[in-house]
C-alpha cells in the first residue's frame, strides 16, 4: 500500500516537472520572438526618424532615450540606434552641440560602469575615425 502511494507521488511529481518544463520552453520561445521584433525595430527606427523629424528633434529623442534606457532594458539596441543615427546625420556642429549639451546627463548615470559604457558608445558613434567604427 505504502509502495503504491509513493509510486503515485513520484508520478505526480514527474507530471508537475514536465508541466514546468513545458512552461519554461514556452516562455523561452516568447522571449526569442520579442527579441527578434525588438532588434528588427531597432534597425528601422533610425531611417524613420530621419524621414519624419528634424536634426534637433532626432538628437533630442535619441540622446534622451539612450540616457533613460535602464540596464534591465536593452541599452545595446539603443546604442545601435544612436550609432546609426549619427552615421546618417554625420557629426555637424549642430549634432556636436547636442552631444555637449547631454554630457552632464551621461555623467550622472548610475551605476558608474553604465556611465562609462554609455559615454564610450556616444564618443565612438560620434567619432569620424573609421577604425573606431568597425
Amino acid at each position: 500500500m505504502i509502495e503504491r502511494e509513493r509510486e503515485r507521488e513520484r508520478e505526480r511529481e514527474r507530471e508537475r516537472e514536465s508541466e514546468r518544463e513545458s512552461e519554461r520552453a514556452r516562455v523561452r520561445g516568447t522571449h526569442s520572438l520579442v527579441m527578434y521584433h525588438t532588434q528588427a525595430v531597432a534597425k528601422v527606427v533610425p531611417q524613420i526618424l530621419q524621414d519624419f523629424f528634424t536634426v534637433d528633434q532626432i538628437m533630442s529623442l535619441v540622446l534622451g532615450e539612450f540616457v533613460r534606457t535602464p540596464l534591465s532594458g536593452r541599452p545595446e539596441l539603443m546604442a545601435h540606434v544612436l550609432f546609426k543615427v549619427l552615421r546618417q546625420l554625420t557629426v555637424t556642429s549642430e549634432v556636436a552641440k547636442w552631444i555637449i549639451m547631454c554630457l552632464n546627463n551621461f555623467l550622472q548615470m548610475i551605476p558608474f560602469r553604465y556611465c562609462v559604457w554609455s559615454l564610450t558608445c556616444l564618443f565612438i558613434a560620434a567619432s569620424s575615425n573609421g577604425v573606431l567604427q568597425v
Side-chain angles (χ1 to χ4, degrees):
M1 219 36 178
I2 295 174
E3 203 50 46
R4 278 191 215 155
E5 286 183 30
R6 287 182 184 164
E7 186 59 38
R8 285 184 200 147
E9 185 59 38
R10 282 188 216 123
E11 184 62 34
R12 280 187 232 129
E13 185 58 38
R14 280 186 231 128
E15 287 174 6
R16 282 186 289 241
E17 184 57 37
S18 176
E19 289 171 5
R20 279 181 264 183
E21 186 57 40
S22 296
E23 179 63 20
R24 283 191 287 259
R26 185 188 67 74
V27 168
R28 279 192 303 269
T30 303
H31 180 71
S32 297
L33 185 61
V34 168
M35 291 311 304
Y36 174 76
H37 287 130
T38 305
Q39 290 170 348
V41 168
K43 288 183 180 181
V44 298
V45 163
Q47 187 60 49
I48 292 171
L49 289 172
Q50 191 174 17
D51 290 345
F52 293 103
F53 297 102
T54 66
V55 173
D56 283 335
Q57 291 171 323
I58 292 171
M59 293 305 294
S60 175
L61 289 168
V62 172
L63 291 173
E65 193 60 36
F66 190 67
V67 168
R68 283 189 298 273
T69 302
L71 283 173
S72 60
R74 296 295 308 260
E76 68 275 10
L77 293 176
M78 267 318 294
H80 174 79
V81 170
L82 176 68
F83 182 80
K84 291 292 186 186
V85 163
L86 290 177
R87 288 299 108 227
Q88 289 174 349
L89 296 177
T90 64
V91 180
T92 61
S93 62
E94 192 174 7
V95 172
K97 175 188 77 169
W98 272 99
I99 292 172
I100 291 168
M101 283 182 4
C102 289
L103 280 180
N104 190 35
N105 295 330
F106 279 83
L107 290 170
Q108 293 177 12
M109 292 176 144
I110 298 174
F112 183 70
R113 61 183 155 76
Y114 185 57
C115 168
V116 172
W117 179 83
S118 299
L119 285 168
T120 303
C121 290
L122 177 66
F123 290 137
I124 288 174
S127 173
S128 59
N129 187 336
V131 174
L132 295 176
Q133 299 170 2
V134 175

